[in-house]
């Protein structure tokens, strides 16, 4: 059996990587793992129990044996959960506890899919350094804050755009400056700046890269 075809998609919050990952998954028939859900899930479990995400013991306990089933149906896409996720994500023991699940997903994609697309912060550098295609997706902080604000204000009508902007910069800094697996572009990643690109245009650019890689692997 051919080994799975793996796409690594990294980048900061609201850069467009989640939407691109879903488009890639649907178009190429690949399994998709949003790895941010794992960190958000761990953070949500701690907050739900009234714990402190900065507390090592609480974070390690929540990450050990973590399963997405434990947070099924929970509202983990909120601002506070995102902020807490970046706090727990800086802890090496938390990252180590979540690593095997991510690697297994890429090595043996569910439902016998021919491959997988994983999006996150360290997929091309740490989780799947041998991925067939790597992207680092970015956009200006102003554009990313606007996208996230438009998304969040559906459920939080009073939310100010400037608040989202500040939270985003704080999270970017925490993710890029942590010692263990910081958010970074892999040396062999394609850089995709979506500041002035529609989703269709960004996806078309990504497809050109992926189609080239599929041809090289003899899969097209
Ligand atoms: O969707 P959004 O880009 O806002 O964030 P996310 O992908 O859901 O990730 C939430 C947080 O989890 C990030 O700010 C990171 O701190 C952490 N994370 C990480 O450290 N490594 C990953 N591979 C994915 C997420």
């Amino acid at each position: 059996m051919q080994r799975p075809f793996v796409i690594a998609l990294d980048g900061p919050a609201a850069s467009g990587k989640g939407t691109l990952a879903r488009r890639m998954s649907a178009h190429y028939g690949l399994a998709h793992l949003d790895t941010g859900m794992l960190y958000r899930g761990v953070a949500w479990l701690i907050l739900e129990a009234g714990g402190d995400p900065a507390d090592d013991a609480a974070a390690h306990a929540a990450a050990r044996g973590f399963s997405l089933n434990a947070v099924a149906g929970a509202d983990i896409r909120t601002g506070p959960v995102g902020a807490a996720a970046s706090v727990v994500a800086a802890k090496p023991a938390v990252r180590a506890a979540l690593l095997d699940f991510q690697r297994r997903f890429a090595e043996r994609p569910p439902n016998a899919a021919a491959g997988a697309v994983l999006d996150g912060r360290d997929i091309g550098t740490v989780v799947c350094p041998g991925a067939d295609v790597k992207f680092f997706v970015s956009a200006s902080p102003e554009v990313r804050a606007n996208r996230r604000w438009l998304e969040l204000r559906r459920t939080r009508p009073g939310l100010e755009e400037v608040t989202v902007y500040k939270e985003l910069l704080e999270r970017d800094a925490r993710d890029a400056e942590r010692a263990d697996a910081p958010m970074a572009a892999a040396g062999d990643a394609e850089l995709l700046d979506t500041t002035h690109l529609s989703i269709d245009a960004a996806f078309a650019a990504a497809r050109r890269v992926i189609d080239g890689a599929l041809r090289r692997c003899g899969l097209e």
Side-chain angles (χ1 to χ4, degrees), residues 15-26:
S15 54
K17 64 187 189 311
T19 309
L20 281 171
R22 284 188 293 277
R23 294 278 292 261
M24 289 174 190
S25 158

Side-chain angles (χ1 to χ4, degrees), residues 4 33 97-110 116 118 127-128:
L33 180 63
L98 299 176
L99 190 58
D100 274 358
F101 174 78
Q102 297 173 76
R103 289 207 172 132
R104 250 182 289 122
F105 189 98
E107 282 158 16
R108 284 190 293 282
L118 285 80
V127 179
C128 303

Side-chain angles (χ1 to χ4, degrees), residues 13-14 17 35-36 39-40 77 85-86 89 95 120-122 148 171 175 178:
K17 64 187 189 311
T35 63
Y39 296 93
R40 284 176 180 271
R77 298 239 32 109
S86 76
R95 305 199 72 82
R121 302 290 187 289
D122 62 337
R148 189 47 53 93
R171 192 140 69 89
D175 288 348
R178 67 181 175 228

